[in-house]
Amino acid sequence: MDPYLKPFENDVQRRYGLFKKQLTLLEEAEGGFDQFTRSYKSYGVQRMPDNSLVFKEWAPAAEALFLTGDFNGWDNFSHPYTKKEFGKWELHIPPKEDKTPAVTHNSKLKVVVHTRAGERLYRISPWAKYVTRHEKSVIYDWVHWDPPQPYIHKHPRPQKPRSLRIYESHVGIASPEGKVASYSNFTHNVLPRIKDLGYNCIQLMAIMEHAYYASFGYQVTSFFAASSRFGTPEELKELIDVAHSLGIIVLLDAVHSHASKNTEDGLNQFDGSDSCFFHSGPRGEHSLWDSKLFNYSSWEVLRFLLSNLRWWLEEYRFDGFRFDGVTSMLYHHHGIGSGFSGDYAEYFGLQVDEDALVYLMLANHILHTLYEDCITIAEEVSGMPNLCCPVQEGGLGFDYRLAMAIPDKWIQILKEFKDEDWDMGNIVHTMTNRRYGEKCIAYAESHDQALVGDKTLAFWLMDKEMYTSMSALIPMNSVIDRGIQLHKMIRLLTHSLGGEGYLNFMGNEFGHPEWLDFPRVGNNESYHYARRQFNLVDTDRLRYWQLYAFDRDMNRTEDKYGWLAAPPANISVKHQGDKVIVFERANVIFIFNFHPTNSYSSYRVAVGPPGKYKIKLDSDGIQYGGHGRLDHNTEFFTEPMEFKNLPNSMLVITFNVHMPTVCFSLSLLIMLENM
């Protein structure tokens, strides 16, 4: 498939050999990966059938471990752990006289670690299932979560979608109100919107507990704990269960690339050493993220991380993962200062962290073996070959990679080029420049472009006019007109040409008018921008609902014709002078006219199958904020006239929006279906 890999055949073989070696070691030492990844059932705290409790930790550098908490009046010495081999510690607590557990649901606990240097440290178990923070405290507390009536899932997992349409979501900001929104709010108010919009997958961010809200969930402190700031574990389970009932799968944003430096409520220095879960010294520090880096060569780190993935799949019934920061994991330089020219030598050699690479191979192999329909997506910018090839072919085993060059291209175009200078060939190249046989998730913008300091596409297009000129009761001015039309066209071109899956960040589908900024010292702890104003689409007096309607119908049309699941598009036109792009995918013909002034009344379009074609989606529709200049009853007939190396062709009409009241003319997409 890729002859450029031939010089690196030995590297690929060696990587696969290291992976096989780890599998063999797991078989010999742990009875196989199935048992190994169930370690969440033996570590942390476990309630036995007789209601006795077993506590187990890995703290190789500790001198002694004790358990303290509400249950023993916070006595630091009454409940010592027993030291076992390989740095492990265990504690058994029998039930109370009435046969109930000695530690009750919702009571607080701490591990007391005595170090060899004579220090006494108070720590949260790395395997803690629930942690909370009192309003007046900055430190999180370990709370024993063992509810008398745990949530029981009612609905089966939906089948793996043939086309993945992802709604990237953050529970805390999923409300127009300036506060931290809840799992329950998301379940009752946001899930119906996602279903209506035609998305079949949710990617949930910031679920793994993180002490600092403004980290967007990327500085994880407790890897097994669902963030308590949004509600309880049972409420998250209900959210996922209800999503499943709507036919929507749910992916978790998994942050295994690094961890928070916090010590009292994080993993850092759990046993008093600077290593434990992380590399010691400078190798364990990420200089840009100010965080700690896992030691993927450590047996117990593998146990912890692989069990963590399985925990989220089995306990909460997530359907897969988007792995964050994969580039940072793959290279010792973590991508810092590396431009990644595409030279294959950059992907092999001493700069590659093969321990991390083998961890990712193990993770994908185990996940896809245990759960055939599990979906894994890599956030990876270097272009590492074989990232999305099966492990048995020497790949890393991901199902998809994010097409991260596409949003960068749209931002560059809007920042640096006039409408008349857009390069059609360069746009098409960016959309289609992906490795053969490796599937991509395309997106015009994600949460990255919504953050303070950056600007969304809607803001690049319309800026301050969005505050004053989005009323549907007045004629559009030139800025709003141009912005609304290009917003739709950019999204559909990305959706239809850019990949085998599509992603949108919540609120961006309707051109959310505000950026995203979490409460922090720099903004006086304000929640004003840490929210999504869904209320703006609930009125027909504002034009946001028009963008919402187009996004909805774009997804619904894809659901009908399945272009994301189809082979890559056959591109017949990328005409620089005409500013026209034409391609066919999934037996649908897409025609985009990006010209700022020219409309074309008889534009010849190449067609494969002969027949009659009709318009199925038209960005100029009145309901989408367009001008309604196409008659959808028009039928287009092919002629047996060869054109652009295809056997048939037909004449169509494509408009710009060249109107006397508008100083900028705008563009139109027509979509045609062979009838």
Side-chain angles (χ1 to χ4, degrees):
M1 284 170 58
D2 185 358
Y4 291 104
L5 280 172
K6 188 65 178 174
F8 306 98
E9 184 175 2
N10 289 338
D11 293 85
V12 177
Q13 294 281 8
R14 189 187 66 259
R15 291 173 177 181
Y16 185 71
L18 292 171
F19 158 75
K20 292 291 287 185
K21 181 182 177 182
Q22 282 285 25
L23 276 186
T24 302
L25 289 173
L26 284 174
E27 194 69 43
E28 293 172 351
E30 301 278 347
F33 64 74
D34 185 23
Q35 191 64 32
F36 188 62
T37 56
R38 293 181 189 271
S39 293
Y40 62 84
K41 293 188 173 183
S42 56
Y43 282 71
V45 54
Q46 308 295 330
R47 179 160 57 86
M48 299 293 106
D50 66 351
N51 278 341
S52 63
L53 296 169
V54 178
F55 294 79
K56 186 175 182 180
E57 302 294 348
W58 176 64
E63 188 68 26
L65 253 63
F66 298 86
L67 185 71
T68 187
D70 292 334
F71 78 102
N72 67 359
W74 295 95
D75 187 318
N76 288 335
F77 302 102
S78 63
H79 287 78
Y81 286 71
T82 302
K83 190 171 185 178
K84 303 291 185 179
E85 58 182 352
F86 307 121
K88 295 166 188 174
W89 302 80
E90 283 191 13
L91 166 63
H92 293 252
I93 304 180
K96 293 190 286 191
E97 288 185 8
D98 62 2
K99 305 300 183 184
T100 60
V103 181
T104 57
H105 170 60
N106 250 337
S107 58
K108 293 180 181 179
L109 297 166
K110 286 278 189 186
V111 178
V112 185
V113 180
H114 287 251
T115 71
R116 292 167 188 167
E119 294 178 282
R120 185 190 301 167
L121 308 174
Y122 296 90
R123 296 288 188 256
I124 290 176
S125 169
W127 303 79
K129 308 301 191 295
Y130 190 55
V131 296
T132 62
R133 182 179 64 85
H134 191 274
E135 283 185 17
K136 295 181 180 179
S137 172
V138 295
I139 304 296
Y140 273 73
D141 295 309
W142 174 17
V143 175
H144 179 52
W145 190 259
D146 187 16
Q149 295 179 312
Y151 185 85
I152 305 297
H153 290 272
K154 304 176 185 67
H155 304 284
R157 297 177 188 268
Q159 286 189 321
K160 187 177 182 177
R162 63 168 187 164
S163 298
L164 204 58
R165 300 184 298 273
I166 303 172
Y167 199 74
E168 186 184 33
S169 305
H170 184 289
V171 169
I173 65 170
S175 164
E177 299 178 62
K179 64 177 186 180
V180 178
S182 66
Y183 296 124
S184 293
N185 167 74
F186 197 95
T187 301
H188 300 295
N189 297 322
V190 184
L191 284 181
R193 294 183 187 272
I194 297 172
K195 176 66 174 177
D196 179 61
L197 280 163
Y199 291 95
N200 56 22
C201 175
I202 300 166
Q203 180 181 301
L204 279 184
M205 309 175 66
I207 294 299
M208 292 179 174
E209 189 61 271
H210 47 293
Y212 185 41
Y213 189 41
S215 76
F216 220 146
Y218 291 121
Q219 295 277 346
V220 177
T221 45
S222 290
F223 283 76
F224 285 82
S227 182
S228 60
R229 56 171 56 84
F230 311 135
T232 68
E234 311 313 298
E235 288 165 340
L236 174 58
K237 291 174 186 177
E238 182 187 25
L239 186 163
I240 295 169
D241 197 25
V242 173
H244 286 168
S245 76
L246 298 173
I248 298 171
I249 64 171
V250 187
L251 306 182
L252 176 71
D253 213 345
V255 187
H256 282 187
S257 48
H258 65 129
S260 168
K261 292 176 80 170
N262 287 18
T263 54
E264 287 195 51
D265 54 9
L267 293 183
N268 193 18
Q269 298 180 29
F270 173 68
D271 64 354
S273 72
D274 77 333
S275 52
C276 200
F277 290 94
F278 309 111
H279 289 291
S280 60
R283 191 181 174 189
E285 306 274 342
H286 196 295
S287 59
L288 284 186
W289 296 344
D290 192 32
S291 55
K292 298 294 292 182
L293 296 170
F294 286 106
N295 177 4
Y296 302 103
S297 67
S298 165
W299 190 262
E300 293 302 320
V301 171
L302 289 179
R303 181 195 305 278
F304 181 79
L305 293 176
L306 292 171
S307 298
N308 185 237
L309 296 173
R310 188 159 186 184
W311 159 259
W312 291 107
L313 287 181
E314 299 211 336
E315 182 71 15
Y316 288 93
R317 302 193 70 189
F318 279 94
D319 301 287
F321 302 95
R322 179 263 203 185
F323 281 76
D324 174 69
V326 170
T327 305
S328 176
M329 298 172 72
L330 290 177
Y331 304 97
H332 292 297
H333 53 64
H334 309 299
I336 300 171
S338 298
F340 296 113
S341 66
D343 184 337
Y344 275 39
E346 296 173 341
Y347 305 128
F348 301 93
L350 296 177
Q351 68 269 27
V352 176
D353 186 341
E354 292 193 335
D355 293 329
L357 187 143
V358 169
Y359 164 68
L360 292 171
M361 294 173 75
L362 279 171
N364 278 306
H365 171 74
I366 291 169
L367 290 172
H368 290 106
T369 302
L370 294 173
Y371 291 91
E372 186 179 356
D373 284 348
C374 180
I375 293 172
T376 59
I377 302 170
E379 187 213 25
E380 208 284 309
V381 298
S382 76
M384 171 69 79
N386 297 355
L387 189 76
C388 297
C389 289
V391 172
Q392 61 267 29
E393 294 179 11
L396 272 68
F398 285 98
D399 295 295
Y400 299 89
R401 68 197 309 159
L402 291 177
M404 301 182 73
I406 294 176
D408 291 344
K409 175 56 64 177
W410 286 125
I411 295 297
Q412 181 201 15
I413 289 171
L414 295 178
K415 282 175 67 174
E416 300 178 8
F417 295 97
K418 297 177 181 177
D419 291 3
E420 58 267 27
D421 295 332
W422 286 26
D423 186 330
M424 298 296 105
N426 186 249
I427 291 171
V428 168
H429 173 74
T430 303
M431 293 288 157
T432 57
N433 183 26
R434 51 192 187 270
R435 294 185 59 80
Y436 178 76
E438 297 193 41
K439 294 189 287 189
C440 286
I441 302 293
Y443 58 107
E445 54 186 345
S446 68
H447 69 274
D448 287 328
Q449 287 73 40
L451 288 168
V452 64
D454 208 335
K455 291 169 75 171
T456 62
L457 292 179
F459 239 45
W460 280 113
L461 288 163
M462 296 177 279
D463 208 70
K464 64 181 185 298
E465 294 288 334
M466 299 184 75
Y467 292 114
T468 57
S469 306
M470 285 294 276
S471 171
L473 304 178
I474 59 174
M476 288 185 287
N477 64 28
S478 59
V479 173
I480 295 298
D481 201 346
R482 170 181 177 270
I484 283 180
Q485 314 317 328
L486 287 179
H487 193 271
K488 292 177 290 187
M489 293 181 67
I490 285 169
R491 299 179 104 68
L492 186 54
L493 184 62
T494 303
H495 200 302
S496 55
L497 190 59
E500 290 70 38
Y502 178 76
L503 178 142
N504 165 69
F505 178 63
M506 62 187 310
N508 285 1
E509 71 277 2
F510 63 83
H512 198 280
E514 304 274 27
W515 54 91
L516 186 60
D517 188 16
F518 288 89
R520 54 190 172 84
V521 175
N523 64 13
N524 295 319
E525 303 294 338
S526 171
Y527 284 86
H528 180 75
Y529 296 110
R531 62 196 180 111
R532 298 273 94 181
Q533 299 178 57
F534 293 115
N535 53 300
L536 295 175
V537 298
D538 293 336
T539 171
D540 57 7
R541 297 196 304 271
L542 296 174
R543 296 193 180 275
Y544 297 103
W545 72 267
Q546 297 170 342
L547 294 177
Y548 176 99
F550 184 77
D551 198 81
R552 176 197 64 207
D553 291 353
M554 173 175 69
N555 284 321
R556 290 180 179 181
T557 308
E558 194 288 326
D559 189 58
K560 183 176 180 181
Y561 298 107
W563 61 72
L564 286 169
N570 179 13
I571 300 154
S572 57
V573 176
K574 42 184 176 181
H575 198 290
Q576 182 59 17
D578 294 347
K579 293 284 186 286
V580 170
I581 296 171
V582 182
F583 57 89
E584 181 274 328
R585 192 175 184 189
N587 296 318
V588 177
I589 297 175
F590 296 82
I591 307 170
F592 295 79
N593 175 13
F594 281 100
H595 203 287
T597 56
N598 291 356
S599 296
Y600 306 104
S601 58
S602 298
Y603 203 85
R604 187 160 294 279
V605 172
V607 182
K612 179 176 68 176
Y613 287 72
K614 292 192 71 175
I615 298 169
K616 290 295 173 181
L617 186 64
D618 168 16
S619 68
D620 196 44
I622 296 290
Q623 70 273 35
Y624 309 137
H627 299 278
R629 292 163 300 164
L630 283 175
D631 182 358
H632 285 213
N633 293 317
T634 303
E635 297 175 338
F636 300 86
F637 293 90
T638 61
E639 304 172 65
M641 181 185 297
E642 185 177 348
F643 189 62
K644 303 289 184 181
N645 297 318
L646 289 174
N648 301 290
S649 61
M650 61 185 175
L651 296 177
V652 299
I653 302 169
T654 73
F655 284 105
N656 74 319
V657 184
H658 188 54
M659 304 175 70
T661 57
V662 178
C663 54
F664 271 104
S665 51
L666 305 175
S667 310
L668 165 72
L669 155 79
I670 311 173
M671 176 177 170
L672 306 152
E673 180 210 7
N674 183 7
M675 302 302 289

